[in-house]
C-alpha cells in the first residue's frame, strides 16, 4: 500500500495538526504516538515548565481587554492572536478560545507542572461546579468501605453550564479526572498487603460524569444551534464510562469520538481495550471512519485478540510501506510472531526494533518474556542493564529486571521487582501475571491465585492469567476449578495446543476420559495449525496435513482409550506415538482426529473433511523419549496378549537398546522367546 507524493504530504500535515491538537489538550501519549517519539513528564521537566508557568501567571494577571479591544483583535490574523495553536474553523469556538487564551495558557502550564486541581479550578472552581451541578461535590464521591451515595441537592435549581470553549472544558475536566486518579493512587494500600482490597475509587469520576452528562443533554436540547463537537469530550466521557464499568455506552461515545476526530490514538486504544471478541470487532468496524487510522486500529485490535493468518500479516506489511520505521507497527509485527509461537522470529524482530530505537522501553517486557523462554541469558542480561540505564523507574524496566532474576532462579528478587513495577503502575498486566508465576515457584499458591486474579481484572483477554489460575488450582487438586479456568484460556486461544492439552489432562484426572480424548485431539490439531502456518509472515494460514505431533499427548489419548477398553484405538495411538521418534506417520492411515471433535472440512487441521489420511513425514523426529518408550512397552505387552511373539520380541529388544525399562524389557524378551520356541516345537 503505497502513497503518492501528494497523499504523503497531506498525511504529514494532518498528523502534524493531530500532534498539536493532542498536545493542546495535554494528551501527551497520543501526541507521542504520532511523533514516534518517547515523551514522559520527568521530574526535571517540571523545572523547564516552571518558566512557562510563571509567564502564564503574569499573562493571566493582566487586565482583561474590553469588548472593543477584543473586537479589534478579531481583524488580526489568527496566528497573531494565538501563534502556537491550531486555528479553529468554527467562529463561535474560535472567539471563545481567543478570549480565554490567557487563562488557557495558565491552566495548561499548571497541568504540565502536575498541579491538576489548580488547573481544573482555572475554568471550573469547586464552588461554581457545585452550583452548576446542584450538588455538594464532596458528597458525589465514594469513600473507602462505603457504598456510592447519590449527590445531595443543595440548590432549588441548577445553574447553567459556563460558556467556555470545548478545548478549555476538556482540559479542566481531564485535569479533574487525573487529580482523582492521583489521589486514588496515594490512598491505595501496599501491593498485595492485608488492606489491598482494590476498593479505592476515583472520587472525581462522579463529578466529571455528571457534568458531561449535563453538557451532552444541553447540546441535544439546543439542536443545531450549537458549535459542532470536536470529539475530545466524547473521548473523555468514554474513558469515564469505562472506569464506571459501563462498557456499552463507553463504546458508543468512543466510536463517536473517532468519527469526529479520527487522529486521537487514545480513543482508538480505549476501543481496542473494550473489544473482547472477534465478532465484536467485526460488528464495530463498519461504524468507524474509513481511513488509515481505522486500518491501523483493525490490525492492532486483531493482534490483541491473538488472531493469526496472512490477512493481518499483509495488513502490517502494507502499513510498514507507508511508515517503514514506525516503532509501533514494528512492535505489532514482533507481537504477531510472538502470539504465533514463532519465538525465534519474534526475537529477531524485537532485536531489530531495539537497534532502530535503542532508547525506547515500550513493549520491552514482551521482549524479555521471549528471551526468558528461549533461555537467552546474555541477551536478557544486556536488556536488563539497558533498561536500568535508561529509566529504572519505568514499569517495563522493572519487569525486564524481574524476568532476568527469575531466569537466575532468584524468585524472591524477581517478586521484588514485579511489585516495584506495580507500585509504579497498578495496571501493569505483565507484572501481575509474572508475579503469579513466581509465587507458584515459591509454593505460595494463595498469593499466586491473587496475582492471577488481579491480572484478569486488568485485562480479561490475558489467557496467561487464566491458564495460571488453572495450573494453581490443579496443584491444589481442585480439578473442577482448574477445568473452568483452563476452558477460559482455551476460549481465548482456541488454536493453542497447550491450552487444550491442559483441558484434556484435567478431564483425564476427573475420570472423564471421553471428553478428555476430544480435548487432546483438538490439541493435536491446534499444534499442527501453528507448526504449518503461524511462523510464516504473510502466508495464507492454511494447512493440508499434520506433521510432527506431541508424543505425550498421543500417549495420553492412548491411555484413556485403554482405560475405556477400546484396544484397537489405543493400539493405533500407541503406534502413532512411537512413530514420532522418526518424524511421524509416513505411510499408514493414522487414527482420525477431526471426526471426533467436530472439525469442519474447511477449517485448519482437516484434510478435505477426513479425519485420517496419508501423512507427510517430518524432517526430524523426537528421538527416543519417555513417552515413546512407554508406548513401545504397551505395544510389546499387547503383542504378547495377542500372541504376536515376534513383534513383542522386536519391541522389547528396541527397549533394551534404548536403555529404558531394561529389566522389564529383558523379561519380555525371555518370555517371548520361550513362547516362540514352544510354538515351533508344537508345529514340528
Amino acid at each position: 500500500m503505497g502513497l503518492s507524493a501528494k497523499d504523503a504530504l497531506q498525511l504529514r500535515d494532518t498528523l502534524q495538526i493531530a500532534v498539536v491538537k493532542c498536545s493542546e489538550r495535554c494528551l501527551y501519549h497520543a501526541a507521542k504516538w504520532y511523533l514516534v517519539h518517547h515523551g514522559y513528564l520527568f521530574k526535571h521537566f517540571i523545572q523547564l515548565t516552571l518558566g512557562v508557568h510563571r509567564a502564564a501567571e503574569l499573562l493571566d494577571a493582566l487586565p482583561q481587554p474590553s469588548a472593543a479591544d477584543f473586537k479589534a483583535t478579531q481583524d488580526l490574523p489568527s496566528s497573531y492572536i494565538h501563534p502556537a495553536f491550531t486555528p479553529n474553523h468554527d467562529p463561535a469556538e474560535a472567539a471563545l478560545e481567543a478570549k480565554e487564551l490567557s487563562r488557557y495558557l495558565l491552566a495548561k502550564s499548571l497541568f504540565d507542572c502536575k498541579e491538576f486541581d489548580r488547573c481544573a479550578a482555572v475554568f471550573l472552581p469547586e464552588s461554581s461546579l457545585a452550583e452548576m451541578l446542584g450538588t455538594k461535590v464532596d458528597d458525589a464521591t465514594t469513600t473507602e468501605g462505603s457504598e456510592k451515595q447519590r449527590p445531595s441537592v443543595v440548590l432549588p435549581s441548577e445553574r447553567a453550564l459556563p460558556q467556555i470553549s470545548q478545548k478549555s472544558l476538556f482540559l479542566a475536566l481531564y485535569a479533574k479526572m487525573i487529580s482523582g486518579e492521583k489521589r486514588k493512587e496515594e490512598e491505595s494500600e501496599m501491593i498485595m498487603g492485608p488492606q489491598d482490597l482494590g476498593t479505592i475509587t476515583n472520587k472525581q469520576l462522579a463529578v466529571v460524569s455528571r457534568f458531561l452528562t449535563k453538557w451532552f443533554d444541553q447540546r441535544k436540547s439546543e439542536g443545531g444551534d450549537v458549535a459542532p463537537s470536536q470529539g475530545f469530550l466524547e473521548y473523555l466521557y468514554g474513558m469515564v464510562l469505562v472506569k464506571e464499568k459501563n462498557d456499552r455506552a463507553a463504546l458508543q461515545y468512543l466510536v463517536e469520538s473517532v468519527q469526529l476526530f479520527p487522529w486521537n490514538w487514545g480513543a482508538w486504544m480505549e476501543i481496542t481495550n473494550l473489544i473482547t471478541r472477534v465478532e465484536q470487532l467485526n460488528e464495530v468496524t463498519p461504524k468507524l471512519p474509513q481511513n488509515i487510522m481505522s486500518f491501523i486500529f483493525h490490525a492492532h485490535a486483531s493482534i490483541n485478540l491473538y488472531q493469526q493468518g496472512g490477512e493481518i500479516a499483509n495488513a502490517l506489511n502494507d502499513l510498514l510501506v507507508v511508515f517503514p520505521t514506525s516503532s509501533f507497527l514494528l512492535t505489532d509485527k514482533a507481537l504477531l510472531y510472538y502470539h504465533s509461537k514463532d519465538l525465534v522470529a519474534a526475537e529477531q524482530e524485537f532485536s531489530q526494533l531495539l537497534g532502530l530505537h535503542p532508547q525506547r522501553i515500550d513493549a520491552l517486557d514482551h521482549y524479555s518474556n521471549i528471551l526468558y523462554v528461549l533461555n537467552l541469558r546474555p541477551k536478557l542480561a544486556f536488556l536488563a542493564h539497558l533498561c536500568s540505564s535508561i529509566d529504572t523507574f519505568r514499569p517495563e524496566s522493572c519487569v525486564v529486571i524481574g524476568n532476568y532474576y527469575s531466569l537466575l532462579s532468584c524468585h524472591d528478587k524477581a517478586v521484588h521487582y514485579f511489585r516495584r513495577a506495580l507500585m509504579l503502575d497498578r495496571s501493569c498486566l505483565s507484572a501481575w501475571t509474572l508475579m503469579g508465576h513466581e509465587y507458584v515457584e515459591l509454593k505460595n499458591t494463595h498469593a499466586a491465585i491473587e496475582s492471577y486474579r488481579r491480572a484478569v481484572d486488568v485485562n480479561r483477554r490475558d489467557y496467561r492469567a487464566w491458564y495460571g489460575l488453572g495450573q494453581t488450582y490443579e496443584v491444589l487438586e481442585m480439578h473442577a476449578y482448574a477445568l473452568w479456568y483452563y476452558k477460559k484460556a482455551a476460549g481465548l486461544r482456541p488454536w493453542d495446543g497447550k491450552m487444550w492439552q491442559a483441558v484434556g489432562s484435567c478431564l483425564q484426572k476427573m475420570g472423564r476420559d471421553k471428553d478428555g480424548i476430544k480435548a487432546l485431539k483438538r490439541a493435536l490439531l491446534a499444534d499442527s495449525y501453528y507448526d504449518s502456518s503461524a511462523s510464516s509472515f504473510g502466508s495464507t494460514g492454511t494447512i493440508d496435513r499434520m506433521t510432527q505431533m506431541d508424543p505425550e499427548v498421543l500417549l495420553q489419548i492412548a491411555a484413556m482409550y485403554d482405560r475405556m477398553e477400546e484396544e484397537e484405538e489405543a493400539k493405533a495411538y500407541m503406534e502413532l506415538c512411537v512413530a514420532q521418534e522418526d518424524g511421524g506417520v509416513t505411510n499408514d492411515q493414522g487414527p482420525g482426529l477431526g471426526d471426533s471433535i467436530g472439525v469442519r472440512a474447511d477449517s485448519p487441521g482437516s484434510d478435505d473433511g477426513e479425519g485420517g489420511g496419508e501423512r507427510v513425514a517430518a524432517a526430524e523426529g523426537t528421538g527416543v523419549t519417555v513417552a515413546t518408550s512407554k508406548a513401545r512397552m504397551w505395544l510389546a505387552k499387547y503383542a504378547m496378549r495377542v500372541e504376536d511373539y515376534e513383534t513383542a520380541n522386536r519391541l522389547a529388544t528396541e527397549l533394551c537398546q534404548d536403555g529404558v525399562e531394561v529389566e522389564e524389557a529383558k523379561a519380555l524378551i525371555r518370555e517371548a522367546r520361550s513362547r516362540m520356541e514352544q510354538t515351533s516345537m508344537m508345529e514340528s
Side-chain angles (χ1 to χ4, degrees), residues 637-657:
K637 292 179 178 178
Y638 175 82
M640 290 294 295
R641 290 198 300 273
V642 297
E643 299 181 356
D644 187 357
Y645 303 122
E646 291 184 3
T647 302
N649 181 62
R650 175 177 56 80
L651 292 170
T653 303
E654 290 175 358
L655 282 169
C656 290
Q657 293 172 352

Side-chain angles (χ1 to χ4, degrees), residues 11 30 34 43 83 112 183 185 215-216 220 236 344 347 353 364 379 405 409 426 438 455 472 574 629 637 647 675:
L11 179 59
Y34 291 110
K43 291 182 179 179
D112 292 342
R183 196 163 288 114
E185 291 297 322
W215 189 83
F216 283 113
K220 290 178 182 176
L236 180 60
V344 175
E347 191 278 326
L353 177 62
L364 288 187
K379 284 192 175 183
Y405 279 117
S409 298
R426 283 178 177 259
E438 296 307 306
T472 309
M574 290 293 185
S629 297
K637 292 179 178 178
T647 302
R675 296 288 181 88

Side-chain angles (χ1 to χ4, degrees), residues 422-441:
L422 293 168
M423 289 175 64
L424 296 167
D425 180 8
R426 283 178 177 259
S427 63
C428 183
L429 179 63
S430 295
W432 282 119
T433 305
L434 295 173
M435 190 164 70
H437 296 345
E438 296 307 306
Y439 278 128
V440 169
E441 294 291 337

